[in-house]
mmCIF file with all atom_site columns, all heavy atoms in Angstrom:
data_model
loop_
_atom_site.group_PDB
_atom_site.id
_atom_site.type_symbol
_atom_site.label_atom_id
_atom_site.label_alt_id
_atom_site.label_comp_id
_atom_site.label_asym_id
_atom_site.label_entity_id
_atom_site.label_seq_id
_atom_site.pdbx_PDB_ins_code
_atom_site.Cartn_x
_atom_site.Cartn_y
_atom_site.Cartn_z
_atom_site.occupancy
_atom_site.B_iso_or_equiv
_atom_site.pdbx_formal_charge
_atom_site.auth_seq_id
_atom_site.auth_comp_id
_atom_site.auth_asym_id
_atom_site.auth_atom_id
_atom_site.pdbx_PDB_model_num
ATOM 1   N N   . ARG A 1 136 ? -33.497 5.489   17.864 1.00 0.00 ? 139 ARG A N   1
ATOM 2   C CA  . ARG A 1 136 ? -33.628 6.811   17.249 1.00 0.00 ? 139 ARG A CA  1
ATOM 3   C C   . ARG A 1 136 ? -33.761 7.865   18.322 1.00 0.00 ? 139 ARG A C   1
ATOM 4   O O   . ARG A 1 136 ? -34.589 7.733   19.231 1.00 0.00 ? 139 ARG A O   1
ATOM 5   C CB  . ARG A 1 136 ? -34.872 6.865   16.341 1.00 0.00 ? 139 ARG A CB  1
ATOM 6   C CG  . ARG A 1 136 ? -34.793 5.980   15.117 1.00 0.00 ? 139 ARG A CG  1
ATOM 7   C CD  . ARG A 1 136 ? -33.805 6.513   14.080 1.00 0.00 ? 139 ARG A CD  1
ATOM 8   N NE  . ARG A 1 136 ? -33.678 5.598   12.948 1.00 0.00 ? 139 ARG A NE  1
ATOM 9   C CZ  . ARG A 1 136 ? -32.740 4.650   12.854 1.00 0.00 ? 139 ARG A CZ  1
ATOM 10  N NH1 . ARG A 1 136 ? -31.832 4.507   13.790 1.00 0.00 ? 139 ARG A NH1 1
ATOM 11  N NH2 . ARG A 1 136 ? -32.713 3.855   11.814 1.00 0.00 ? 139 ARG A NH2 1
ATOM 12  N N   . ASP A 1 206 ? -35.578 19.653  14.938 1.00 0.00 ? 209 ASP A N   1
ATOM 13  C CA  . ASP A 1 206 ? -35.656 18.203  14.923 1.00 0.00 ? 209 ASP A CA  1
ATOM 14  C C   . ASP A 1 206 ? -36.624 17.710  13.855 1.00 0.00 ? 209 ASP A C   1
ATOM 15  O O   . ASP A 1 206 ? -36.354 16.732  13.154 1.00 0.00 ? 209 ASP A O   1
ATOM 16  C CB  . ASP A 1 206 ? -36.072 17.673  16.292 1.00 0.00 ? 209 ASP A CB  1
ATOM 17  C CG  . ASP A 1 206 ? -35.800 16.184  16.409 1.00 0.00 ? 209 ASP A CG  1
ATOM 18  O OD1 . ASP A 1 206 ? -34.611 15.830  16.442 1.00 0.00 ? 209 ASP A OD1 1
ATOM 19  O OD2 . ASP A 1 206 ? -36.756 15.396  16.401 1.00 0.00 ? 209 ASP A OD2 1
ATOM 20  N N   . TYR A 1 216 ? -34.293 11.032  2.676  1.00 0.00 ? 219 TYR A N   1
ATOM 21  C CA  . TYR A 1 216 ? -33.084 10.297  2.294  1.00 0.00 ? 219 TYR A CA  1
ATOM 22  C C   . TYR A 1 216 ? -33.364 8.799   2.245  1.00 0.00 ? 219 TYR A C   1
ATOM 23  O O   . TYR A 1 216 ? -32.989 8.108   1.304  1.00 0.00 ? 219 TYR A O   1
ATOM 24  C CB  . TYR A 1 216 ? -31.962 10.597  3.284  1.00 0.00 ? 219 TYR A CB  1
ATOM 25  C CG  . TYR A 1 216 ? -30.690 9.859   2.966  1.00 0.00 ? 219 TYR A CG  1
ATOM 26  C CD1 . TYR A 1 216 ? -29.893 10.245  1.892  1.00 0.00 ? 219 TYR A CD1 1
ATOM 27  C CD2 . TYR A 1 216 ? -30.294 8.754   3.720  1.00 0.00 ? 219 TYR A CD2 1
ATOM 28  C CE1 . TYR A 1 216 ? -28.737 9.552   1.580  1.00 0.00 ? 219 TYR A CE1 1
ATOM 29  C CE2 . TYR A 1 216 ? -29.143 8.062   3.416  1.00 0.00 ? 219 TYR A CE2 1
ATOM 30  C CZ  . TYR A 1 216 ? -28.364 8.463   2.349  1.00 0.00 ? 219 TYR A CZ  1
ATOM 31  O OH  . TYR A 1 216 ? -27.219 7.764   2.042  1.00 0.00 ? 219 TYR A OH  1
ATOM 32  N N   . ARG A 1 225 ? -34.612 -3.243  -7.528 1.00 0.00 ? 228 ARG A N   1
ATOM 33  C CA  . ARG A 1 225 ? -34.201 -4.278  -6.589 1.00 0.00 ? 228 ARG A CA  1
ATOM 34  C C   . ARG A 1 225 ? -35.193 -4.443  -5.439 1.00 0.00 ? 228 ARG A C   1
ATOM 35  O O   . ARG A 1 225 ? -34.906 -5.129  -4.458 1.00 0.00 ? 228 ARG A O   1
ATOM 36  C CB  . ARG A 1 225 ? -32.848 -3.926  -5.988 1.00 0.00 ? 228 ARG A CB  1
ATOM 37  C CG  . ARG A 1 225 ? -31.659 -4.101  -6.893 1.00 0.00 ? 228 ARG A CG  1
ATOM 38  C CD  . ARG A 1 225 ? -30.408 -3.812  -6.102 1.00 0.00 ? 228 ARG A CD  1
ATOM 39  N NE  . ARG A 1 225 ? -29.220 -3.978  -6.918 1.00 0.00 ? 228 ARG A NE  1
ATOM 40  C CZ  . ARG A 1 225 ? -28.243 -4.849  -6.638 1.00 0.00 ? 228 ARG A CZ  1
ATOM 41  N NH1 . ARG A 1 225 ? -28.328 -5.617  -5.586 1.00 0.00 ? 228 ARG A NH1 1
ATOM 42  N NH2 . ARG A 1 225 ? -27.187 -4.937  -7.417 1.00 0.00 ? 228 ARG A NH2 1
ATOM 43  N N   . GLN A 1 233 ? -37.098 -8.869  7.043  1.00 0.00 ? 236 GLN A N   1
ATOM 44  C CA  . GLN A 1 233 ? -36.272 -9.886  7.660  1.00 0.00 ? 236 GLN A CA  1
ATOM 45  C C   . GLN A 1 233 ? -35.135 -9.231  8.458  1.00 0.00 ? 236 GLN A C   1
ATOM 46  O O   . GLN A 1 233 ? -34.808 -9.643  9.557  1.00 0.00 ? 236 GLN A O   1
ATOM 47  C CB  . GLN A 1 233 ? -35.693 -10.724 6.528  1.00 0.00 ? 236 GLN A CB  1
ATOM 48  C CG  . GLN A 1 233 ? -35.195 -12.075 6.888  1.00 0.00 ? 236 GLN A CG  1
ATOM 49  C CD  . GLN A 1 233 ? -34.796 -12.783 5.602  1.00 0.00 ? 236 GLN A CD  1
ATOM 50  O OE1 . GLN A 1 233 ? -35.597 -12.928 4.667  1.00 0.00 ? 236 GLN A OE1 1
ATOM 51  N NE2 . GLN A 1 233 ? -33.545 -13.175 5.500  1.00 0.00 ? 236 GLN A NE2 1
ATOM 52  N N   . HIS B 2 43  ? -28.000 0.907   10.225 1.00 0.00 ? 57  HIS B N   1
ATOM 53  C CA  . HIS B 2 43  ? -28.945 1.779   10.902 1.00 0.00 ? 57  HIS B CA  1
ATOM 54  C C   . HIS B 2 43  ? -30.357 1.699   10.343 1.00 0.00 ? 57  HIS B C   1
ATOM 55  O O   . HIS B 2 43  ? -31.312 2.138   10.965 1.00 0.00 ? 57  HIS B O   1
ATOM 56  C CB  . HIS B 2 43  ? -28.446 3.223   10.884 1.00 0.00 ? 57  HIS B CB  1
ATOM 57  C CG  . HIS B 2 43  ? -27.310 3.424   11.832 1.00 0.00 ? 57  HIS B CG  1
ATOM 58  N ND1 . HIS B 2 43  ? -27.450 4.060   13.025 1.00 0.00 ? 57  HIS B ND1 1
ATOM 59  C CD2 . HIS B 2 43  ? -26.028 3.016   11.782 1.00 0.00 ? 57  HIS B CD2 1
ATOM 60  C CE1 . HIS B 2 43  ? -26.292 4.060   13.665 1.00 0.00 ? 57  HIS B CE1 1
ATOM 61  N NE2 . HIS B 2 43  ? -25.416 3.434   12.930 1.00 0.00 ? 57  HIS B NE2 1
ATOM 62  N N   . LYS B 2 56  ? -24.708 8.420   2.456  1.00 0.00 ? 70  LYS B N   1
ATOM 63  C CA  . LYS B 2 56  ? -23.974 8.258   1.209  1.00 0.00 ? 70  LYS B CA  1
ATOM 64  C C   . LYS B 2 56  ? -24.478 9.294   0.219  1.00 0.00 ? 70  LYS B C   1
ATOM 65  O O   . LYS B 2 56  ? -25.601 9.211   -0.249 1.00 0.00 ? 70  LYS B O   1
ATOM 66  C CB  . LYS B 2 56  ? -24.226 6.840   0.699  1.00 0.00 ? 70  LYS B CB  1
ATOM 67  C CG  . LYS B 2 56  ? -23.255 6.356   -0.322 1.00 0.00 ? 70  LYS B CG  1
ATOM 68  C CD  . LYS B 2 56  ? -23.692 5.027   -0.886 1.00 0.00 ? 70  LYS B CD  1
ATOM 69  C CE  . LYS B 2 56  ? -23.686 3.917   0.145  1.00 0.00 ? 70  LYS B CE  1
ATOM 70  N NZ  . LYS B 2 56  ? -24.119 2.642   -0.463 1.00 0.00 ? 70  LYS B NZ  1
ATOM 71  N N   . ARG B 2 98  ? -28.699 11.720  16.034 1.00 0.00 ? 112 ARG B N   1
ATOM 72  C CA  . ARG B 2 98  ? -30.009 11.073  16.156 1.00 0.00 ? 112 ARG B CA  1
ATOM 73  C C   . ARG B 2 98  ? -29.911 9.572   15.911 1.00 0.00 ? 112 ARG B C   1
ATOM 74  O O   . ARG B 2 98  ? -30.900 8.866   15.876 1.00 0.00 ? 112 ARG B O   1
ATOM 75  C CB  . ARG B 2 98  ? -30.976 11.709  15.159 1.00 0.00 ? 112 ARG B CB  1
ATOM 76  C CG  . ARG B 2 98  ? -31.378 13.114  15.575 1.00 0.00 ? 112 ARG B CG  1
ATOM 77  C CD  . ARG B 2 98  ? -32.116 13.871  14.494 1.00 0.00 ? 112 ARG B CD  1
ATOM 78  N NE  . ARG B 2 98  ? -32.567 15.170  14.987 1.00 0.00 ? 112 ARG B NE  1
ATOM 79  C CZ  . ARG B 2 98  ? -31.772 16.239  15.114 1.00 0.00 ? 112 ARG B CZ  1
ATOM 80  N NH1 . ARG B 2 98  ? -30.503 16.157  14.769 1.00 0.00 ? 112 ARG B NH1 1
ATOM 81  N NH2 . ARG B 2 98  ? -32.233 17.374  15.588 1.00 0.00 ? 112 ARG B NH2 1
ATOM 82  N N   . GLN B 2 394 ? -33.778 -12.804 -2.164 1.00 0.00 ? 408 GLN B N   1
ATOM 83  C CA  . GLN B 2 394 ? -33.317 -12.112 -0.963 1.00 0.00 ? 408 GLN B CA  1
ATOM 84  C C   . GLN B 2 394 ? -31.897 -12.483 -0.612 1.00 0.00 ? 408 GLN B C   1
ATOM 85  O O   . GLN B 2 394 ? -31.119 -11.655 -0.192 1.00 0.00 ? 408 GLN B O   1
ATOM 86  C CB  . GLN B 2 394 ? -34.234 -12.433 0.186  1.00 0.00 ? 408 GLN B CB  1
ATOM 87  C CG  . GLN B 2 394 ? -34.747 -13.840 0.128  1.00 0.00 ? 408 GLN B CG  1
ATOM 88  C CD  . GLN B 2 394 ? -35.441 -14.212 1.389  1.00 0.00 ? 408 GLN B CD  1
ATOM 89  O OE1 . GLN B 2 394 ? -34.853 -14.129 2.444  1.00 0.00 ? 408 GLN B OE1 1
ATOM 90  N NE2 . GLN B 2 394 ? -36.673 -14.623 1.291  1.00 0.00 ? 408 GLN B NE2 1
ATOM 91  N N   . PHE B 2 401 ? -24.653 -7.033  -0.504 1.00 0.00 ? 415 PHE B N   1
ATOM 92  C CA  . PHE B 2 401 ? -24.629 -5.684  0.029  1.00 0.00 ? 415 PHE B CA  1
ATOM 93  C C   . PHE B 2 401 ? -24.113 -5.547  1.435  1.00 0.00 ? 415 PHE B C   1
ATOM 94  O O   . PHE B 2 401 ? -23.838 -4.470  1.894  1.00 0.00 ? 415 PHE B O   1
ATOM 95  C CB  . PHE B 2 401 ? -25.994 -5.033  -0.108 1.00 0.00 ? 415 PHE B CB  1
ATOM 96  C CG  . PHE B 2 401 ? -26.139 -4.471  -1.469 1.00 0.00 ? 415 PHE B CG  1
ATOM 97  C CD1 . PHE B 2 401 ? -26.842 -5.146  -2.444 1.00 0.00 ? 415 PHE B CD1 1
ATOM 98  C CD2 . PHE B 2 401 ? -25.489 -3.293  -1.790 1.00 0.00 ? 415 PHE B CD2 1
ATOM 99  C CE1 . PHE B 2 401 ? -26.937 -4.639  -3.711 1.00 0.00 ? 415 PHE B CE1 1
ATOM 100 C CE2 . PHE B 2 401 ? -25.580 -2.781  -3.056 1.00 0.00 ? 415 PHE B CE2 1
ATOM 101 C CZ  . PHE B 2 401 ? -26.310 -3.448  -4.025 1.00 0.00 ? 415 PHE B CZ  1
#
Side-chain angles (χ1 to χ4, degrees):
Chain A
R139 293 288 176 266
D209 195 69
Y219 179 74
R228 286 184 179 240
Q236 200 174 304
Chain B
H57 286 255
K70 198 187 295 180
R112 288 169 176 78
Q408 35 170 303
F415 277 100

